[in-house]
Amino acid sequence: MKKNFIERALPMVSFISILFLFGIAMTLIVSAVPAFREYGIISTLTGKVWRPTDDPPLFGMWPLILSSFYVTFTAIAIAVPLGVGAAVYLAEIAPAKVREIIKPALEVLAGIPSVVLGFFGIVFLAPLVKNIFHLDTGLTGFTAAILLAIMSVPTIASITEDAVTAVPKELRHASLALGGTKWETIIRVSVPAAKSGILTGIILGISRAMGETMTVLMAAGGSRGIPDNIFVPMRPMTACIAGEMGETVVGDSHYYMLFAMGLILFIFNIIFNIIAENIKKGKNK
């Protein structure tokens, strides 16, 4: 009877999940249409000035989109070597006792609230970045990127470790039997065999970093100008939505434009998840 209940409940749960996803997508699309209809999609995406309180208001999202990419891909450039390296170490090299310490530590790291990491960034990391790079302020895209990297490492490490561990032992044994060292076996056999899982972890890490809000709101500096490098204050799209939604009047252009920004983020995340799914399918084939 319990089995029958579970078999009936699971399709319902899946249907409810799809319904929520559809509802979120429709809410974003319906709310974004008035903004795009009034200001145009191309002019909004390529506009270089975001001043929603001017008269007339300016809704150019390009500085915010560029800030999102600066912060996200810098975070991934930091997180990928750390996450993949930690995963390979746990799966192939670490003694069992060390693995029992590091794996729970990564899980704890994944569970730290983003607002706590934001405080850590303001109090400790920002002054450090300011002093090391001789900047006017430590609240920059680079500071936010380091925090996002800390948040992305557990995702990348967890999926990568599963992928490396799943590589058949026969491949490793064959490499060692042919005279390969343990290190050569890891680099030339285990990691290439697990590359689909590793790429999936990286893409999900990108999605994690791009969708993060509180940390970038607190640590990125909040400047709306076009950033020319990662060491200046900037305002990614998620920070803009979180910072300005409370200031808007429901129903005005600014309000709808923030939903349009949310729709753009939603589309970016869907694209990354579709890529991850395609990589998984390629792996299964």
Side-chain angles (χ1 to χ4, degrees), residues 179-220:
T181 63
K182 187 176 180 66
W183 181 245
E184 287 172 338
T185 301
I186 292 171
I187 296 299
R188 297 183 179 179
V189 177
S190 299
V191 171
K195 65 180 179 182
S196 297
I198 295 172
L199 287 173
T200 301
I202 292 171
I203 290 170
L204 292 180
I206 293 174
S207 298
R208 174 82 172 88
M210 182 164 277
E212 171 52 35
T213 301
M214 186 56 68
T215 301
V216 292
L217 177 65
M218 297 173 72

Side-chain angles (χ1 to χ4, degrees), residues 23-165:
I24 291 169
M26 287 308 298
T27 300
L28 289 173
I29 291 170
V30 170
S31 300
V33 165
F36 286 136
R37 186 183 295 156
E38 185 174 358
Y39 294 96
I41 295 177
I42 301 300
S43 58
T44 300
L45 295 178
T46 59
K48 297 179 180 177
V49 181
W50 177 266
R51 288 178 186 161
T53 56
D54 281 9
D55 188 18
L58 299 171
F59 293 117
M61 289 188 189
W62 181 242
L64 313 175
I65 295 172
L66 196 60
S67 297
S68 293
F69 279 99
Y70 261 121
V71 173
T72 300
F73 287 102
T74 303
I76 291 302
I78 298 170
V80 167
L82 294 176
V84 174
V88 171
Y89 174 71
L90 287 173
E92 297 281 346
I93 301 172
K97 288 186 178 178
V98 175
R99 194 180 302 127
E100 289 174 1
I101 296 173
I102 294 179
K103 284 202 71 172
L106 285 173
E107 291 169 3
V108 171
L109 188 63
I112 295 176
S114 57
V115 68
V116 175
L117 282 174
F119 277 123
F120 171 76
I122 291 173
V123 173
F124 176 77
L125 193 58
L128 197 65
V129 169
K130 177 184 176 182
N131 292 332
I132 291 176
F133 296 100
H134 306 290
L135 304 173
D136 295 331
T137 175
L139 297 177
T140 65
F142 185 67
T143 306
I146 292 175
L147 296 172
L148 291 184
I150 293 172
M151 300 173 74
S152 299
V153 162
T155 301
I156 297 172
S158 175
I159 296 173
T160 300
E161 192 212 350
D162 290 342
V164 175
T165 304

